Amino acid sequence: RYVADQFADVAPSAKPLASFGPFHMAAPDRAELIGSIESDTPAQFRALLRAFLGVTQIDMLDCPGTGDDEANLALARMVRRAGIATYVPDGGSVRSGGVELFLAGAKRRAAPTAEFAVHSWLDEDGMEADDFAPNDPVHTDYINFYREMGMGDAEARAFYAMTNSAPHDD
């Protein structure tokens, strides 16, 4: 799930202390995220946590989404369990599956000029959320995830419906 990578030229704010996939350590307690979440990103994040025990915040500079929804939700749960905050700075962009990662922050903040974009998921068979009945179990993982991130049931369902209100290609 990606929304067009219009910010492909984004770079870390300074020479990183270390990099772990799309995560670049700007300081011992702060990582910058530039890039998409893929199948290997949870392992890269585990390595980051082993190397930098004091990480408290992820600055999401540019996250166009994910190529692996399961890995993205696993990473998001790791962020939540670690008590790490998420922040989207001025001009930052979080799109598609990256929004779930933002929601995982133990505390979440976004600058007024931060950009968020959502759209329907698309499975490996080209099916979107609205191709399934509202009570189909395929929707449960996302709704449960939103509940885990602190939303009430009605709010989780409404948020899920909003993210799927735009077709995948929009």
Side-chain angles (χ1 to χ4, degrees):
R1 297 184 333 158
Y2 298 97
V3 172
D5 193 3
Q6 56 190 330
F7 297 88
D9 60 348
V10 174
S13 58
K15 186 175 186 313
L17 303 174
S19 293
F20 302 85
F23 296 99
H24 308 281
M25 296 306 300
D29 64 343
R30 189 171 53 84
E32 293 179 333
L33 174 62
I34 302 169
S36 63
I37 308 307
E38 302 301 335
S39 300
D40 55 352
T41 308
Q44 294 164 337
F45 190 70
R46 275 191 292 279
L48 178 155
L49 291 176
R50 284 192 302 272
F52 291 88
L53 301 175
V55 175
T56 60
Q57 181 169 298
I58 298 170
D59 294 350
M60 301 179 78
L61 304 184
D62 178 36
C63 185
T66 182
D68 184 334
D69 279 351
E70 288 181 28
N72 190 47
L73 295 181
L75 173 64
R77 287 178 173 109
M78 290 168 60
V79 167
R80 178 53 69 104
R81 276 192 308 272
I84 297 171
T86 52
Y87 172 63
V88 185
D90 281 328
S93 181
V94 177
R95 305 176 305 279
S96 192
V99 173
E100 278 88 14
L101 184 59
F102 172 76
L103 290 173
K107 292 185 179 178
R108 302 177 289 267
R109 295 181 304 123
T113 62
E115 174 185 86
F116 291 86
V118 295
H119 62 135
S120 178
W121 51 263
L122 184 74
D123 72 12
E124 60 276 355
D125 297 320
M127 305 285 279
E128 296 188 38
D130 66 356
D131 291 322
F132 297 88
N135 63 345
D136 192 291
V138 72
H139 304 294
T140 305
D141 286 343
Y142 291 101
I143 294 168
N144 287 343
F145 172 79
Y146 299 138
R147 284 189 203 127
E148 285 177 52
M149 298 305 121
M151 293 182 191
D153 185 63
E155 187 180 22
R157 290 178 185 282
F159 186 80
Y160 181 69
M162 183 275 301
T163 65
N164 290 306
S165 66
H168 181 76
D169 290 336
D170 285 352

